[in-house]
Every structure is written in C-alpha cells, then in structure tokens.
Amino acid sequence: MSMPTTYRGSMTREQWLVNETRVVARLMADESLSDTKEIVEKVTAQNLFQYPTEREQKSIARACCRRLLALSEDEGVRASLINLAAHGSLEQLAQVNLYAMMCDNRVVWDFMTCVIAPKFSLFDLSLRKSEIVTFIEGLRAQDDRVATWSDATCNKVRQVLVNCIEGAGLYSRKTEALRPPLLDFELERCVRANDDAAVLPAFGITE
C-alpha cells in the first residue's frame, strides 16, 4: 500500500477519535456494514457517539469510516485490522487507530516516519515541542496546501499529533519522553501484508 497523498488539516477537528473508531469498527465487523452512508445514518439515528448535534455525529462518523477504509486495499487485511479495532484490547485499538490515521493522512504518516521512526532508531527517546513545530514548518515550506494553514491551525495540528502518540502509548507529554510500544503481532502482520514494513520503525521495530 502506498503512503497517502493528502495532508488533511481536518485532523484539527477530527482529533484522535479512538472511542468513536471502535464504535464504527464494531458496526463494520459485527453488522457487516461497509457503506459509509449507511453507517453514518445508524450512528446518528441511535446517537452512538452521544454527541449533542447530529451534524457533529455525521462529520465524525464519516471521518472514522474514511480512516478504517484506508487501512488496506486488501479486503482480508482490512477486515483483520477492523476486527482488532472492534474487539481488541485498548492497547490494540490505540495502535490500529494510529496506523489508520497514518494511512489516511499524510501529516501523520510523515510525522511518524520522519520524526518518530528516526528517534527510535537512534535511541533518542525525547521529543520536544520545538521539534514538532519544526516538522510542521517544514511541511509548510514544501506543500502548497499546508502553506495556506494559519499559525493557529498549525498549532492545533501539533496538539493533535501529540494526542495521537500519547494516546497510542508512545509518548508522555509531561516528561517529553518517547517509549517504543510493544507492537501487536497481528497489527505487525497486517502492516507487512500491506507492504508497509517501512513504517515499522515508527513503532520501534527495526528490520
């Protein structure tokens, strides 16, 4: 599977969404739902996210569907990962959710492969705010879409990236310390099946 091409600034409103992703993954895995429109309708009709507005439920449900569907072009691999998100442990869910965000958004992919992976490879287990700011500024300089983002948007993107790696158990915001995760075996198998072994160093695994 190839890396995503789109740098999505929408991550500032979509955020980490780990609990919402599990809800949608269970609809896909347990009720065999695959059509985004049908899933969005079910989420809103039953208020499955417990959000105050239908508009917000629809927007986030679409985002969760998009991320899960981006997990693999291979239906079998995608089904395995969705099932892991639906019924795995909280740690497994978090790891799949991070990988789904990488597959969906070039910002997350580049951050994990260009910032986090080298850190783990060099046993440099610290990540300062300034380093994330530098990464985002680099994106602004090289991509026309990111160049249009305001300083406020860039700051929110930074915050979401921190939430992602902290939510996946890779980082402590308080100590600014990174820690390689114990990557789930099934997730690693699926990543390799996707021909995405190049992203494994971002999870602390070196070839």
Side-chain angles (χ1 to χ4, degrees), residues 31-47:
E31 301 187 29
S32 300
L33 300 181
S34 59
D35 181 72
T36 296
K37 182 178 179 181
E38 189 176 4
I39 291 171
V40 170
E41 288 176 351
K42 182 144 193 172
V43 168
T44 54
Q46 299 183 13
N47 194 18

Side-chain angles (χ1 to χ4, degrees), residues 9 13 17 27 36 52 87 93 96 102 104 110 114 136 142 144 147 152 161 166 169 175-176 187 189 193 195:
R13 63 175 180 274
L17 302 182
L27 292 177
T36 296
H87 300 295
L93 166 63
V96 173
M102 291 175 66
D104 175 64
D110 283 2
C114 299
I136 296 173
Q142 71 184 37
D144 291 341
L161 290 173
E166 189 168 50
T175 63
E176 296 189 323
L187 175 55
R189 183 192 71 79
D195 291 326

Side-chain angles (χ1 to χ4, degrees), residues 40-205:
V40 170
E41 288 176 351
K42 182 144 193 172
V43 168
T44 54
Q46 299 183 13
N47 194 18
L48 295 181
F49 295 161
Q50 296 296 297
Y51 284 178
T53 68
E54 183 176 295
R55 179 180 179 181
E56 188 178 12
Q57 294 222 48
K58 287 182 177 179
S59 174
I60 296 305
R62 290 192 195 98
C64 292
C65 287
R66 191 187 67 238
R67 291 177 182 180
L68 289 170
L69 293 174
L71 279 167
S72 180
E73 296 173 356
D74 182 288
E75 290 186 6
V77 172
R78 187 169 63 243
S80 293
L81 290 169
I82 289 173
N83 187 65
L84 198 60
H87 300 295
S89 67
L90 293 178
E91 185 176 18
Q92 289 169 322
L93 166 63
Q95 291 180 2
V96 173
N97 195 51
L98 179 57
Y99 180 53
M101 292 186 71
M102 291 175 66
C103 293
D104 175 64
N105 192 327
R106 183 71 180 274
V107 176
V108 186
W109 180 285
D110 283 2
F111 176 66
M112 293 299 297
T113 58
C114 299
V115 178
I116 303 301
K119 288 277 187 179
F120 285 149
S121 296
L122 295 172
F123 301 102
D124 177 7
L125 301 182
S126 65
L127 179 66
R128 296 179 297 277
K129 174 182 176 180
S130 60
E131 294 177 276
I132 308 176
V133 171
T134 298
F135 162 72
I136 296 173
E137 287 302 315
L139 294 185
R140 291 176 94 175
Q142 71 184 37
D143 184 83
D144 291 341
R145 179 190 292 248
V146 181
T148 66
W149 294 354
S150 67
D151 289 344
T153 295
C154 288
N155 187 51
K156 289 178 181 177
V157 168
R158 179 192 61 78
Q159 292 171 358
V160 175
L161 290 173
V162 170
N163 289 341
C164 290
I165 54 176
E166 189 168 50
L170 278 66
Y171 184 65
S172 168
R173 186 192 315 253
K174 182 177 181 180
T175 63
E176 296 189 323
L178 289 164
R179 47 180 178 267
L182 182 61
L183 187 65
D184 179 76
F185 175 80
E186 177 64 8
L187 175 55
E188 180 180 349
R189 183 192 71 79
C190 289
V191 169
R192 293 185 185 278
N194 273 340
D195 291 326
D196 278 348
V199 310
L200 291 175
F203 292 92
I205 294 179

